[in-house]
Amino acid sequence: MIRKLFRNARITTPIDRGIPLSGSKQGDVQVFERGALYCLNGTIKNVGTEEEVFASLSPGEVNQEIDCRGLCLIPGFVDPHTHMCFTVPREEEFLMRLQGADYLEILQQGGGILSSVRAVRAASDEELFSATLKHALSALRLGTTTLEIKSGYGLNTTTELRMLQTIDRVGRETPLDVVATFLGAHAIAEEYAHDPGGYAELVIEEMIPAVAKQGIARFCDVFCEEGIFPLAESRRILEAAKGAGLEIKMHTDEIHDPGASALAAELQATSADHLLAAGEENLQAMAARGVIGVLLPATAYSMRKGYAPARKMVEMGLPLALATDCNPGSSYTESMPFVIGLAVYNMHMTVNEALVAATLNAAYALNMAETVGSLDVGKSADFLLLDGKTPAILPYRAGVSPIVKVFKRGEEVS
Ligand SMILES: N=CN[C@@H](CCC(=O)O)C(=O)O
Ligand SMILES: [Zn+2]
C-alpha cells in the first residue's frame, strides 16, 4: 500500500458535482491556501486544508510525505482533441499559409491532411509509434495527464486500424491515460477524389464495423465542413457509429457554418469542437442538449481568422473545454499552458474559467470525469506543481512552462 501525503501546497481545483461547469459556474474552483492531498495507491483519499487532512489521518498511516514548498497544485490537464499520430511535420505548408495560401485550397490540391496521409501510410508501425510517442511525452512534460488522440491520417481500413493500435500502444507504454478516436471521416481519400460518396460508404460499411470489432476506439469523429463531409453524410456516419456502439464527437463549423453544431446537438454528441463559425441558435441548441463546446484557440491563432466567441458562449450557458488540436497542419503544439494563455488573452476567459475548461470540462468532453479532471476523492491523483502562487502563472508566464512537476496516479512522471 502506497500512502502518500502531499502537504504545504496552494491547491486550486474545480469541484466535480456530476455535471460539467457552465455559465456563472464555468470558473467555479475551490482554493486551499495551505492545502494537502492524501492518496492511496494513486487514488485521492482526501483533499483540503492541511488541518482537515492531517486530522483525518491516524498515526503512522502515511508512508511518504512530500513538502510542496508552497507551490501551486492543480489537476493534470486533460487534452480532449489531438491528431498527434502522424510522422512528418508540414513546414512548407506553414510557410505557404504565411504567404496567404488557404488551408482548404491546399487540401483540395492534394496537400494538407492528404500529405500526412501519404506519410502515415508509408511509415512502419515502429516509425508511427515513435513519432506519436514523441508528441505524447512532450504533452506529458507540459502537464497533460489524460490525452485524446484521433486516427484520420490513414483513410483506408488497414491504416486507420494501424493508427488506432499505435494510439492504444502509447497509452500502454506511457503513464498517460489515452483515449482513442476513430476519424476515418477526416478527408476524402485521394483514390476517392472523384467519388466522395463512395468514400463515405467505405467509412460506414467497412471501417466502422472493423473499428468496432477491433475494440480500441471509444469515439467516432467527423470533419463536418463544406466540401469535406457535408451535413447529410456526417449524420449517416455518426448514426452508423452510434449503432456500432461508439460514442460520438464532431469537428463543427471550423471554417464555414454548414449547421454542424446543430447536428451535434440533435445527435447529442459528447462534444462539438472548433465552433469558430457556429451560429448563435446552433450554440443555444448545444447548450440545451448538454453538448460540450471544445475550443481550440491554438488553431485559431495559427489560422489567423479570429477566435471563437468564448464570452458569449459562457453567457449562454454552454460548458466549455479547451484542447490543443495538436496536428501538423493547423496547430502544431502539445502545450495546454499555451492554449490557456490564448484563451485568457484572446478569448477573454478568466483564469479560473480556462482552468476548468482544461481540466474538469475537458474530462467531460471525453466522458472521463468519473476518474480524472479534478482533485475529488476517488479520482486518480493526477496533478501538477506550478512555479507560482495561483494558476494565473500559466498565462502570465507566456511562452514558458511554469510546470515544475507532473504526477500521474500519485507518481512523479515528469
Ligand atoms: N480540421 C481538421 N483536422 C485538423 C487539421 C488536421 C490537419 O491539417 O492535418 C483540425 O482539427 O484543425
Ligand atoms: Zn481536429
Side-chain angles (χ1 to χ4, degrees):
M1 290 281 195
I2 304 170
R3 299 191 197 88
K4 283 189 185 175
L5 175 67
F6 296 85
R7 51 172 293 273
N8 190 16
R10 294 171 197 263
I11 299 177
T12 301
T13 180
I15 302 294
D16 188 358
R17 297 197 170 83
I19 48 165
L21 299 180
S22 63
S24 59
K25 300 221 173 336
Q26 170 76 43
D28 220 7
V29 296
Q30 193 144 4
V31 178
F32 304 107
E33 272 304 330
R34 198 176 163 104
L37 183 147
Y38 175 56
C39 62
L40 174 64
N41 292 337
T43 300
I44 299 171
K45 288 287 158 201
N46 202 354
V47 64
T49 63
E50 276 195 346
E51 257 183 353
E52 287 161 356
V53 176
F54 291 178
S56 72
L57 296 167
S58 33
E61 188 175 339
V62 171
N63 47 33
Q64 221 181 319
E65 190 172 312
I66 297 108
D67 181 350
C68 299
R69 297 176 287 119
L71 295 178
C72 176
L73 187 158
I74 60 169
F77 300 128
V78 177
D79 186 347
H81 182 140
T82 85
H83 307 252
M84 61 170 69
C85 184
F86 66 90
T87 47
V88 184
R90 307 201 311 249
E91 260 167 78
E92 301 74 16
E93 184 192 316
F94 167 66
L95 291 171
M96 280 164 65
R97 284 200 300 110
L98 285 184
Q99 282 164 2
D102 179 75
Y103 177 81
L104 281 183
E105 270 169 32
I106 294 173
L107 175 60
Q108 269 137 22
Q109 284 155 17
I113 294 172
L114 294 176
S115 71
S116 292
V117 170
R118 286 189 288 276
V120 167
R121 285 180 180 179
S124 69
D125 288 352
E126 231 25 64
E127 282 164 346
L128 188 57
F129 174 70
S130 64
T132 311
L133 181 69
K134 186 177 100 178
H135 295 299
L137 292 178
S138 165
L140 182 66
R141 281 192 296 277
L142 290 159
T144 297
T145 47
T146 299
L147 177 65
E148 187 252 22
I149 310 178
K150 301 177 198 293
S151 67
Y153 294 125
L155 308 190
N156 60 34
T157 308
T158 316
T159 320
E160 285 294 313
L161 294 180
R162 222 154 59 76
M163 286 189 76
L164 291 168
Q165 267 158 10
T166 303
I167 294 164
D168 186 54
R169 184 173 164 201
V170 170
R172 285 185 279 108
E173 297 190 18
T174 68
L176 283 149
D177 273 321
V178 174
V179 175
T181 295
F182 166 61
L183 182 58
H186 194 194
I188 308 294
E190 265 173 305
E191 50 286 14
Y192 283 85
H194 301 293
D195 180 18
Y199 183 70
E201 284 312 310
L202 181 77
V203 172
I204 294 169
E205 299 297 334
E206 189 178 299
M207 290 192 197
I208 289 176
V211 166
K213 184 163 170 230
Q214 184 192 37
I216 291 173
R218 177 157 185 181
F219 289 94
C220 175
D221 192 343
V222 174
F223 183 15
C224 182
E225 179 62 53
E226 275 177 22
I228 315 280
F229 291 90
L231 213 51
E233 255 172 20
S234 299
R235 172 195 292 278
R236 289 185 52 230
I237 292 167
L238 293 168
E239 281 174 347
K242 263 186 153 179
L246 295 165
E247 297 160 63
I248 58 172
K249 345 175 117 261
M250 288 179 74
H251 280 66
T252 45
D253 311 326
E254 177 176 358
I255 300 161
H256 306 101
D257 175 10
S261 38
L263 180 63
E266 188 196 321
L267 298 178
Q268 283 190 291
T270 302
S271 74
D273 305 21
H274 280 295
L275 303 171
L276 287 167
E280 200 163 325
E281 255 178 49
N282 300 345
L283 296 172
Q284 297 280 14
M286 279 174 55
R289 302 294 295 265
V291 181
I292 310 227
V294 177
L295 303 186
L296 311 168
T299 312
Y301 167 84
S302 150
M303 301 290 260
R304 303 198 291 179
K305 285 192 180 145
Y307 289 82
R311 281 263 54 89
K312 201 166 78 182
M313 292 168 170
V314 170
E315 276 156 30
M316 60 174 67
L318 181 67
L320 295 183
L322 288 166
T324 60
D325 194 19
C326 179
N327 76 77
S330 62
S331 179
Y332 194 14
T333 179
E334 303 92 352
S335 176
M336 286 297 278
F338 175 57
V339 165
I340 290 171
L342 292 174
V344 169
Y345 279 107
N346 294 342
M347 298 200 301
H348 310 288
M349 292 176 80
T350 67
V351 171
N352 289 343
E353 285 171 346
L355 179 69
V356 168
T359 55
L360 182 62
N361 282 7
Y364 275 103
L366 292 178
N367 289 331
M368 289 278 287
E370 272 183 22
T371 49
V372 299
S374 62
L375 304 176
D376 282 288
V377 172
K379 291 200 188 190
S380 180
D382 301 354
F383 58 88
L384 316 176
L385 291 179
L386 307 180
D387 186 14
K389 292 181 184 166
T390 73
I393 198 68
L394 290 158
Y396 180 37
R397 290 290 279 139
V400 178
S401 172
I403 295 164
V404 180
K405 280 182 182 165
V406 180
F407 291 84
K408 181 72 185 171
R409 292 179 208 100
E411 295 290 325
E412 188 177 329
V413 288
S414 178

